[in-house]
CSV table of all heavy atoms in Angstrom, one decimal:
chain,number,residue,atom,x,y,z
A,9,PHE,N,0.8,-1.2,0.0
A,9,PHE,CA,0.0,0.0,0.0
A,9,PHE,C,0.8,1.3,0.0
A,9,PHE,O,0.3,2.4,-0.2
A,9,PHE,CB,-0.9,0.0,1.2
A,9,PHE,CG,-0.3,0.1,2.6
A,9,PHE,CD1,0.0,1.3,3.2
A,9,PHE,CD2,0.1,-1.1,3.2
A,9,PHE,CE1,0.6,1.4,4.4
A,9,PHE,CE2,0.8,-1.0,4.4
A,9,PHE,CZ,1.0,0.2,5.0
A,10,ALA,N,2.2,1.2,0.1
A,10,ALA,CA,3.0,2.4,0.2
A,10,ALA,C,4.5,2.0,0.0
A,10,ALA,O,4.8,0.9,0.2
A,10,ALA,CB,2.8,3.2,1.5
A,11,THR,N,5.3,3.0,-0.3
A,11,THR,CA,6.7,2.9,-0.3
A,11,THR,C,7.3,4.1,0.4
A,11,THR,O,6.7,5.1,0.6
A,11,THR,CB,7.3,2.8,-1.7
A,11,THR,OG1,6.9,4.0,-2.5
A,11,THR,CG2,6.8,1.6,-2.5
A,12,ASN,N,8.6,3.9,0.8
A,12,ASN,CA,9.3,4.9,1.6
A,12,ASN,C,10.8,4.8,1.4
A,12,ASN,O,11.3,3.7,1.1
A,12,ASN,CB,8.9,4.8,3.1
A,12,ASN,CG,8.8,6.1,3.8
A,12,ASN,OD1,9.2,7.1,3.3
A,12,ASN,ND2,8.3,6.1,5.0
A,13,VAL,N,11.5,5.9,1.5
A,13,VAL,CA,12.9,5.9,1.4
A,13,VAL,C,13.6,6.6,2.6
A,13,VAL,O,12.9,7.4,3.3
A,13,VAL,CB,13.4,6.5,0.1
A,13,VAL,CG1,13.0,5.7,-1.1
A,13,VAL,CG2,12.9,7.9,0.0
A,14,LEU,N,14.8,6.4,2.8
A,14,LEU,CA,15.5,7.0,3.9
A,14,LEU,C,15.9,8.5,3.6
A,14,LEU,O,16.0,8.9,2.5
A,14,LEU,CB,16.8,6.3,4.2
A,14,LEU,CG,16.7,4.8,4.7
A,14,LEU,CD1,18.1,4.2,4.9
A,14,LEU,CD2,16.0,4.8,6.1
A,15,GLU,N,16.0,9.2,4.7
A,15,GLU,CA,16.5,10.6,4.6
A,15,GLU,C,17.2,10.9,5.9
A,15,GLU,O,16.9,10.3,7.0
A,15,GLU,CB,15.3,11.6,4.5
A,15,GLU,CG,15.8,13.1,4.3
A,15,GLU,CD,14.7,14.0,3.9
A,15,GLU,OE1,13.6,13.5,3.6
A,15,GLU,OE2,14.9,15.2,3.9
A,16,ILE,N,18.2,11.7,5.8
A,16,ILE,CA,19.0,12.1,7.0
A,16,ILE,C,18.2,13.2,7.8
A,16,ILE,O,17.8,14.2,7.2
A,16,ILE,CB,20.4,12.6,6.7
A,16,ILE,CG1,21.2,11.5,5.9
A,16,ILE,CG2,21.2,13.1,7.9
A,16,ILE,CD1,22.4,12.1,5.2
A,17,ALA,N,18.0,13.0,9.1
A,17,ALA,CA,17.4,14.0,9.9
A,17,ALA,C,18.5,14.6,10.8
A,17,ALA,O,19.2,13.8,11.5
A,17,ALA,CB,16.3,13.4,10.8
A,18,THR,N,18.7,15.9,10.8
A,18,THR,CA,19.7,16.5,11.6
A,18,THR,C,19.0,17.4,12.6
A,18,THR,O,17.8,17.8,12.5
A,18,THR,CB,20.7,17.4,10.8
A,18,THR,OG1,20.0,18.6,10.3
A,18,THR,CG2,21.2,16.6,9.6
A,19,ALA,N,19.7,17.9,13.6
A,19,ALA,CA,19.2,18.9,14.5
A,19,ALA,C,18.7,20.1,13.7
A,19,ALA,O,19.3,20.4,12.6
A,19,ALA,CB,20.2,19.3,15.6
A,20,ALA,N,17.7,20.8,14.2
A,20,ALA,CA,17.2,21.9,13.4
A,20,ALA,C,18.3,22.9,13.0
A,20,ALA,O,19.1,23.3,13.8
A,20,ALA,CB,16.1,22.7,14.3
A,21,GLY,N,18.3,23.3,11.8
A,21,GLY,CA,19.3,24.2,11.2
A,21,GLY,C,20.6,23.5,10.8
A,21,GLY,O,21.5,24.1,10.2
A,22,ASN,N,20.7,22.1,11.0
A,22,ASN,CA,21.8,21.3,10.6
A,22,ASN,C,23.1,22.0,11.0
A,22,ASN,O,24.0,22.3,10.2
A,22,ASN,CB,21.8,21.2,9.0
A,22,ASN,CG,22.8,20.1,8.5
A,22,ASN,OD1,23.4,19.4,9.3
A,22,ASN,ND2,23.0,20.1,7.2
A,23,PRO,N,23.3,22.2,12.3
A,23,PRO,CA,24.5,22.8,12.8
A,23,PRO,C,25.8,22.1,12.5
A,23,PRO,O,26.9,22.6,12.5
A,23,PRO,CB,24.3,22.9,14.3
A,23,PRO,CG,23.3,21.9,14.6
A,23,PRO,CD,22.4,21.8,13.4
A,24,ALA,N,25.7,20.7,12.3
A,24,ALA,CA,26.9,19.9,12.1
A,24,ALA,C,27.3,20.0,10.6
A,24,ALA,O,28.4,19.5,10.2
A,24,ALA,CB,26.7,18.5,12.5
A,25,GLY,N,26.4,20.6,9.8
A,25,GLY,CA,26.7,20.8,8.3
A,25,GLY,C,26.8,19.5,7.5
A,25,GLY,O,27.6,19.3,6.6
A,26,VAL,N,25.9,18.6,7.8
A,26,VAL,CA,25.8,17.3,7.1
A,26,VAL,C,25.2,17.6,5.7
A,26,VAL,O,24.1,18.2,5.6
A,26,VAL,CB,24.9,16.3,7.9
A,26,VAL,CG1,24.7,15.0,7.1
A,26,VAL,CG2,25.5,16.0,9.2
A,27,THR,N,25.9,17.1,4.7
A,27,THR,CA,25.4,17.3,3.3
A,27,THR,C,25.3,16.0,2.5
A,27,THR,O,24.7,16.0,1.4
A,27,THR,CB,26.3,18.2,2.6
A,27,THR,OG1,27.6,17.7,2.5
A,27,THR,CG2,26.4,19.6,3.2
A,28,SER,N,25.8,14.9,3.1
A,28,SER,CA,25.8,13.6,2.3
A,28,SER,C,25.8,12.4,3.2
A,28,SER,O,26.0,12.6,4.4
A,28,SER,CB,27.0,13.6,1.4
A,28,SER,OG,28.2,13.4,2.2
A,29,PHE,N,25.5,11.3,2.7
A,29,PHE,CA,25.5,10.0,3.4
A,29,PHE,C,26.9,9.8,4.0
A,29,PHE,O,27.1,9.4,5.1
A,29,PHE,CB,25.0,8.9,2.6
A,29,PHE,CG,25.0,7.6,3.3
A,29,PHE,CD1,23.9,7.3,4.1
A,29,PHE,CD2,26.0,6.6,3.2
A,29,PHE,CE1,23.8,6.1,4.8
A,29,PHE,CE2,25.9,5.4,3.9
A,29,PHE,CZ,24.8,5.1,4.7
A,30,ALA,N,27.9,10.1,3.2
A,30,ALA,CA,29.3,9.8,3.6
A,30,ALA,C,29.7,10.7,4.8
A,30,ALA,O,30.5,10.2,5.6
A,30,ALA,CB,30.3,10.2,2.4
A,31,ASP,N,29.1,11.8,4.9
A,31,ASP,CA,29.4,12.7,6.1
A,31,ASP,C,29.0,12.0,7.4
A,31,ASP,O,29.6,12.3,8.5
A,31,ASP,CB,28.6,14.0,6.0
A,31,ASP,CG,29.2,15.0,5.0
A,31,ASP,OD1,30.3,14.7,4.5
A,31,ASP,OD2,28.5,16.0,4.7
A,32,LEU,N,28.1,11.1,7.4
A,32,LEU,CA,27.6,10.4,8.6
A,32,LEU,C,28.7,9.5,9.2
A,32,LEU,O,28.6,9.1,10.3
A,32,LEU,CB,26.4,9.6,8.3
A,32,LEU,CG,25.2,10.3,7.8
A,32,LEU,CD1,24.0,9.3,7.6
A,32,LEU,CD2,24.8,11.4,8.8
A,33,ALA,N,29.8,9.3,8.4
A,33,ALA,CA,30.9,8.4,8.9
A,33,ALA,C,32.0,9.3,9.6
A,33,ALA,O,33.0,8.7,10.1
A,33,ALA,CB,31.5,7.7,7.7
A,34,GLU,N,31.8,10.6,9.6
A,34,GLU,CA,32.8,11.4,10.3
A,34,GLU,C,32.9,11.0,11.8
A,34,GLU,O,31.8,10.9,12.5
A,34,GLU,CB,32.4,12.9,10.2
A,34,GLU,CG,32.4,13.5,8.8
A,34,GLU,CD,33.9,13.6,8.3
A,34,GLU,OE1,34.8,13.7,9.1
A,34,GLU,OE2,34.1,13.4,7.1
A,35,PRO,N,34.1,10.9,12.3
A,35,PRO,CA,34.2,10.3,13.7
A,35,PRO,C,33.7,11.2,14.8
A,35,PRO,O,33.3,10.7,15.9
A,35,PRO,CB,35.8,10.2,13.8
A,35,PRO,CG,36.3,11.1,12.8
A,35,PRO,CD,35.4,11.1,11.6
A,36,ASP,N,33.6,12.5,14.6
A,36,ASP,CA,33.1,13.4,15.6
A,36,ASP,C,31.6,13.6,15.6
A,36,ASP,O,31.1,14.3,16.4
A,36,ASP,CB,33.8,14.8,15.5
A,36,ASP,CG,35.3,14.7,15.7
A,36,ASP,OD1,35.7,13.8,16.5
A,36,ASP,OD2,36.0,15.6,15.2
A,37,LEU,N,31.0,13.0,14.6
A,37,LEU,CA,29.5,13.1,14.5
A,37,LEU,C,28.8,12.1,15.2
A,37,LEU,O,29.1,10.9,15.1
A,37,LEU,CB,29.1,13.1,13.0
A,37,LEU,CG,27.8,13.6,12.6
A,37,LEU,CD1,27.8,15.2,12.7
A,37,LEU,CD2,27.4,13.2,11.2
A,38,LYS,N,27.8,12.5,16.1
A,38,LYS,CA,27.0,11.5,16.8
A,38,LYS,C,25.8,11.1,15.9
A,38,LYS,O,24.9,11.9,15.7
A,38,LYS,CB,26.5,12.1,18.1
A,38,LYS,CG,27.6,12.3,19.1
A,38,LYS,CD,27.1,12.8,20.5
A,38,LYS,CE,26.5,14.2,20.4
A,38,LYS,NZ,26.1,14.7,21.7
């Protein structure tokens, strides 16, 4: 009845500056 895909959710305003999936592997990023 439906399909869905992933999206990155960041804190409001994206203070960590995440722009890509690869950015999620940065060691300092929680």
Side-chain angles (χ1 to χ4, degrees):
F9 66 93
T11 56
N12 215 347
V13 295
L14 295 176
E15 185 171 349
I16 300 167
T18 71
N22 192 9
V26 176
T27 61
S28 67
F29 183 80
D31 285 349
L32 299 180
E34 293 294 330
D36 295 334
L37 198 71
K38 292 185 292 183

